[in-house]
Amino acid sequence: MPALTVAASLAALGLLWWLAAGAWQSRALPTPVAVWRTLAAEAASGDLFYNLGATLGRVVAAYIVAMVVGTAIGTFLGLSRRADRFFNPWLVLFLNIPALVVIVLAYIWFGLNEAAAIGAVAVNKIPNVVVTMREGARAFDPAYSELASVYRFSWPDRIRHILLPQLQPYLAAASRSGIALIWKIVLVVELLGRSNGVGFQISLYFQLFDVAGILAYTLAFVAIMLAVEFMMVQPLERHATRWRRRAA
Amino acid sequence: MRPVGAAAPLEVRIAEKTFISAQGVALTALRDLAFEVPHGSFACLFGPSGCGKSTLLRILLGLDREFSGSYTLPGGQTRTAAVFQEPTLLPWRNVACNVELALPKAARKTDLDWLFEALGLAEMRTLYPSELSLGLARRVALARAFAIEPSVLFLDEPFVSLDEPTAERLRGLLMSVWSARPTTALMVTHNLREAVTLSDRIVVLTPRPARVRGVFDIRLPREHRNRQVVDDLLRAFHIKFPEQAGGGYA
């Protein structure tokens, strides 16, 4: 009964929270009920959905940019050994630049605008995608490329029917770690240079020392990201790997 | 590859093909290899294993351009089809999609029912390659090759590692779809009986570096080649090529 276990586990956590908030009565540790009231009030005023929407939009945009650019670069490096040898030090460098540095530099160089914000998040994720997709491209089976060249597949067909299916396990891996990383960085980007979104709200409540507000927004956003995982990522993955599950 | 008339033969004139190994050792696979396959006929390349038959096929398929010499493929605008040693189906696409993908976009709507029917694949269209036996996967590879109505067809030991009854059935199927629309075909094989049963011409190669040892033409129509006749043809082949180790001679 995994579903029951999960429910029991979450209920236990909530109970622990409620007991702790009862023992240490303070504005710094609101009870679950207080957080729920804040959440309801924010939802009723429409602020909650406006800010969640803004953050979700940035997550989606940064995710798409990071996956497309990272896949293109990673595939190229995986296929060309010479380019890989040359660019590998760049990759190592970018992998080790802290997210905060990229965000600050992006705002200084490109201004406090949406493109800089999304770009900064994408740049933080791209090196990880490149590393994963490079492994994927190295594992390409040459027999399929030869098939495509003998039967003169068009480029769109090659990408859709030969390249992407072979990359699919790597895409799934990069996607998963990607969404988790991106939404955390998006909050930092919003905190530093945007005037809406979950990150901005959290910085606002931080200045007011309003922990109930901080927790309300955090929990709402975690719930959305879990819903994305269960309702989009997993069904898509099941569709992409349907050919694997049927045994001979 | 210069464009030539529709009834032109497949002409092969390879001067030399040399591989350089990672240690820098040169290995000549083909030297002065020249032969023709008349338009619309079925030829077999027969030779000892490792003599360079597959290398030659890779050159003719345009997969290997590092050689000296030339070749001419038949047909004005060439449509090349290949059946590889492994079926090489895309495991993530079903049978119908695997076949259709080989077709140019404009031809995807073509009715391929007759082909699936002829190869006994009519019920298999929605299956994925992992659900097929090797024999069935090979049939799909044949369907894909014939679907594009090729002007030249290359087959690289398409019946290897099948049990003999399955291989025999598949040879029959190959011949029935090929006869429906004869196209210039070149098949690599180790199996002399198979070569004698199927081909109009057997091009016999020497050990590496491969040259043409001789050509064995069979003018007798395929439908008259019963077991007795095939045995006689094999005997004649061995008189003509006494030094050839008889792969598949039984």
Side-chain angles (χ1 to χ4, degrees), chain A residues 143-147 149-154 156-157 160-163 165-166 240 242-244 246-248, chain B residues 58 61 63 78 80-82 84 88-93 101-102 105 108 126-128 130-131 144-145 148:
Chain A
Y144 298 129
S145 329
E146 291 180 353
L147 171 79
S149 104
V150 167
Y151 283 102
R152 304 203 184 150
F153 281 28
S154 61
D157 274 352
R160 187 167 151 217
H161 300 288
I162 309 262
L163 290 185
Q166 291 190 80
R242 65 202 180 285
W243 57 276
R244 266 183 225 280
R246 294 206 222 163
Chain B
R58 289 180 57 81
L61 286 169
L63 297 174
T78 315
T80 307
F84 303 96
T88 323
L89 304 174
L90 302 177
W92 39 83
R93 295 289 179 262
L101 272 173
K105 267 254 155 48
R108 297 257 163 98
T126 56
L127 297 185
Y128 285 93
S130 63
E131 299 168 277
R144 178 173 62 192
I148 69 167

Side-chain angles (χ1 to χ4, degrees), chain B:
Chain B
M1 280 198 287
R2 49 184 193 275
V4 286
L10 164 67
E11 279 183 298
V12 176
R13 312 217 176 291
I14 308 290
E16 191 179 286
K17 165 69 198 174
T18 302
F19 290 102
I20 311 284
S21 74
Q23 285 83 37
V25 183
L27 185 86
T28 304
L30 314 170
R31 180 173 290 152
D32 298 326
L33 176 63
F35 65 89
E36 281 187 8
V37 179
H39 177 76
S41 71
F42 195 104
C44 275
L45 269 182
F46 180 75
S49 60
C51 80
K53 301 184 294 286
S54 295
T55 305
L56 173 63
L57 224 52
R58 289 180 57 81
I59 289 175
L60 297 179
L61 286 169
L63 297 174
D64 189 340
R65 297 176 198 278
E66 312 264 295
F67 67 99
S68 57
S70 67
Y71 61 89
T72 315
L73 299 179
Q77 38 151 224
T78 315
R79 281 186 314 280
T80 307
V83 178
F84 303 96
Q85 247 176 56
E86 293 305 314
T88 323
L89 304 174
L90 302 177
W92 39 83
R93 295 289 179 262
N94 66 24
V95 166
C97 186
N98 261 290
V99 173
E100 278 164 20
L101 272 173
L103 296 166
K105 267 254 155 48
R108 297 257 163 98
K109 299 264 185 295
T110 323
D111 182 20
L112 293 173
D113 288 352
W114 71 273
L115 190 60
F116 284 111
E117 207 71 58
L119 288 167
L121 292 169
E123 313 286 300
M124 317 277 174
R125 291 186 187 204
T126 56
L127 297 185
Y128 285 93
S130 63
E131 299 168 277
L132 304 175
S133 64
L134 179 62
L136 281 172
R138 290 250 163 89
R139 285 197 221 178
V140 178
L142 283 178
R144 178 173 62 192
F146 282 99
I148 69 167
E149 304 194 351
S151 54
V152 59
L153 170 65
F154 295 107
L155 306 109
D156 190 0
E157 302 197 59
F159 309 123
V160 80
S161 64
L162 290 175
D163 58 282
E164 194 41 40
T166 311
E168 194 55 43
R169 273 248 302 294
L170 226 57
R171 281 181 208 121
L173 289 173
L174 167 66
M175 271 308 129
S176 68
V177 285
W178 182 79
S179 311
R181 195 183 155 280
T183 175
T184 312
L186 182 63
M187 177 166 99
V188 163
T189 182
H190 273 119
N191 183 332
L192 187 57
R193 178 172 285 276
E194 177 175 287
V196 165
T197 314
L198 298 180
S199 46
D200 301 303
R201 163 172 287 186
I202 302 175
V203 178
V204 183
L205 301 182
T206 64
R208 199 175 54 224
R211 286 177 298 102
V212 175
R213 168 163 284 159
V215 168
F216 189 80
D217 281 319
I218 306 171
R219 295 202 174 74
L220 185 74
R222 267 171 216 86
E223 57 272 26
H224 299 309
R225 295 183 204 168
N226 56 30
R227 199 176 171 77
Q228 180 71 54
V229 174
V230 168
D231 284 343
D232 288 347
L233 285 168
L234 284 171
R235 224 162 278 132
F237 182 91
H238 280 280
I239 292 167
K240 193 170 176 190
F241 299 102
E243 61 286 80
Q244 201 72 36
Y249 179 68

